[in-house]
Amino acid sequence: MRSKFIAGNWKMNKTVADAVALATALKSGFSAKPGVAAAVCPPFTALDAVGKVLKGSAIALGAQNMHASKDGAFTGEVAASMLLELGCSYVILGHSERRTLFGETDKSVNEKTQAALAAGLTPIVCVGETLEQRKSEQTSRVITEQVFGSLAELGGSLDKIVIAYEPVWAIGTGLTASPAQAQEVHALIRKLLVRLGGEAAAQKVLIQYGGSMKPDNARELLSQPDIDGGLIGGAALKADSFLAIINAA
Ligand code: PEP
């Protein structure tokens, strides 16, 4: 049976002082339970400080992006080795905000995914359709293209990734996919994973749901057979709501 994995994406929120306060509250309120893992992904500037607070706790550290190259002339970018040095075990890749606001493509997400795996980071690879795409019944096509494009040529490492299905129309809007809508896409992703890496690998991959997951809808979403956790935005910015979602898991 797959475990549940709840990760918080703090986006461009929290100064170092605010991040330390939130991480401290999470650490003191978190009680590790078998079968449930948790991580937080602060902005780059707060990774070091949050990592120090979380040391010795079961809450893991992740980043929100990285560059695919090992080092070099890439002003403003951060490499996998730099994230590892600060104690990161996860990195979010291809979030819809990166795809729509910063021009990321399946190809660049794929390069980053390969680089993260090679460095020993677990990528949380995001996919999801827009509202127009859902309304025009393009969801399966879009998800298929994103999964095959972002996860090409991972070889035997397919089972080392996490996928986040995040319908773009549900991110930060208060609109949530119904448990049935989310499960339908998660089941499709699982089938695509079988085609990419075989049944055994596909069954191991954790597929998170993201998009206005809150304490009051988490339990129902997380009880779907292919929903293995959540990638949480807004509700991850307060200790009580993030801890409540972990408890629901
Ligand atoms: C996200 O951006 O990854 C996300 C799921 O945000 P929210 O929970 O605020 O919808």
Side-chain angles (χ1 to χ4, degrees), residues 17 31 37 64 78 87 111 115 123 125 141 167 179 186 192 201 218 220 229 242:
S31 47
Q64 300 171 20
V78 166
E111 286 164 4
V125 180
R141 181 190 60 76
H186 282 237
L192 298 172
E220 218 190 331
F242 191 60

Side-chain angles (χ1 to χ4, degrees), residues 16-28:
V16 172
D18 293 342
V20 164
L22 176 54
T24 305
L26 290 174
K27 186 178 177 176
S28 72

